[in-house]
Amino acid sequence: MIRLTDVHKKFGSLEVLKGIDLEVGEGEVVTVLGASGSGKTTMLRCINFLEKADKGTLEIDGTKIDMPSAGKKDILNVRRQTAMVFQHYNLFANKTVLENVTQGLITVQKIPAKEAVQKGEFYLEKVGLADKRDSFPIQLSGGQQQRVGIARALALNPKVILMDEPTSALDPELVGEVLNVIRKVAEEKRTMIVVTHEMAFAREVSDKVVFMDSGVVLESGVPEDIFTNPKEERTKQFLQRYLK
């Protein structure tokens, strides 16, 4: 479904990604773990061309793209097949909840407004926010705003959903409501790459866990292998308090 091969990215003299290889099968939920600064978010942003990689290839649904030389058509094609859930929601403050969900449907996918509204209402219902359709983001809690972000991503019906630490900006008591929504999405067998610090959640929902350190994928495997018997010493250090 989606494959990264030898992906590199520098910011000035700082090499953030040092040859990332990652493969995600259709319907798989892959969680990406690692300390701050390990390159997790940059990898996601390169997949969606919010950052342009300096080297490497992206293959999505059988189409291979050389990432540094990708043109506007290539990037648009990738963005039509992916959707991003951001750490800080990235909602339009001047638009209602429903308008936030339908914006991409109308402007990017060129869906008629009436159909977009029907889809928007359907996905707001799925995340438990149908009653907030006419509210503005400032009237919502952080957890509710993130659920709107998830509804927006789902409404686009992407082949791959990218989630960048979707709970890290939330107060602790709001984390659970967002994780519950993501669990339900995972149960639908949607292809997802989720960068997260929620270890119990990663262990529960993942088909595969990837551990990144210093710009490389240090190891990957099924959750039980990573959480009970990691091979790399750095992975053991990172997961120390979660190992049983």
Side-chain angles (χ1 to χ4, degrees), residues 137-231:
I138 197 171
Q139 298 172 302
L140 305 182
S141 70
Q144 289 171 328
Q145 290 186 62
Q146 191 58 289
R147 284 152 61 194
V148 173
I150 293 169
R152 177 176 59 187
L154 292 173
L156 294 168
N157 195 28
K159 291 180 178 174
V160 183
I161 299 175
L162 309 170
M163 295 193 177
D164 182 19
E165 299 190 25
T167 61
S168 66
L170 300 177
D171 292 333
E173 64 267 25
L174 300 177
V175 169
E177 68 182 69
V178 173
L179 292 181
N180 284 337
V181 169
I182 299 173
R183 282 188 188 93
K184 290 177 183 176
V185 176
E187 288 168 2
E188 297 176 0
K189 292 298 178 184
R190 288 180 178 264
T191 308
M192 292 197 291
I193 305 174
V194 185
V195 170
T196 184
H197 289 295
E198 300 290 338
M199 301 301 154
F201 168 77
R203 189 169 188 171
E204 174 190 349
V205 306
S206 305
D207 295 298
K208 181 165 67 177
V209 175
V210 171
F211 178 70
M212 287 182 63
D213 186 59
S214 300
V216 299
V217 173
L218 203 57
E219 65 179 300
S220 64
V222 297
E224 283 309 299
D225 286 348
I226 297 297
F227 281 98
T228 62
N229 190 30
K231 297 181 177 66

Side-chain angles (χ1 to χ4, degrees), residues 7-68:
V7 176
H8 293 251
K9 177 63 181 176
K10 279 185 176 182
F11 294 99
S13 61
L14 179 63
E15 191 175 14
V16 178
L17 301 181
K18 303 173 183 176
I20 296 292
D21 294 318
L22 178 70
E23 187 169 348
V24 182
E26 185 172 359
E28 278 192 332
V29 177
V30 174
T31 53
V32 184
L33 312 180
S36 296
S38 58
K40 308 181 302 296
T41 292
T42 299
M43 179 186 72
L44 279 195
R45 290 176 65 84
C46 284
I47 291 172
N48 207 33
F49 286 94
L50 294 170
E51 303 287 353
K52 190 170 257 194
D54 302 316
K55 180 184 177 184
T57 60
L58 167 66
E59 185 175 342
I60 183 165
D61 203 23
T63 300
K64 185 180 285 189
I65 299 167
D66 180 65
M67 298 173 81

Side-chain angles (χ1 to χ4, degrees), residues 89-96 99-100 103-104 136-137 152:
Y89 328 134
N90 281 30
L91 301 180
F92 296 107
N94 63 335
K95 295 185 182 296
T96 66
E99 288 169 340
N100 267 281
Q103 178 80 11
F136 288 89
R152 177 176 59 187

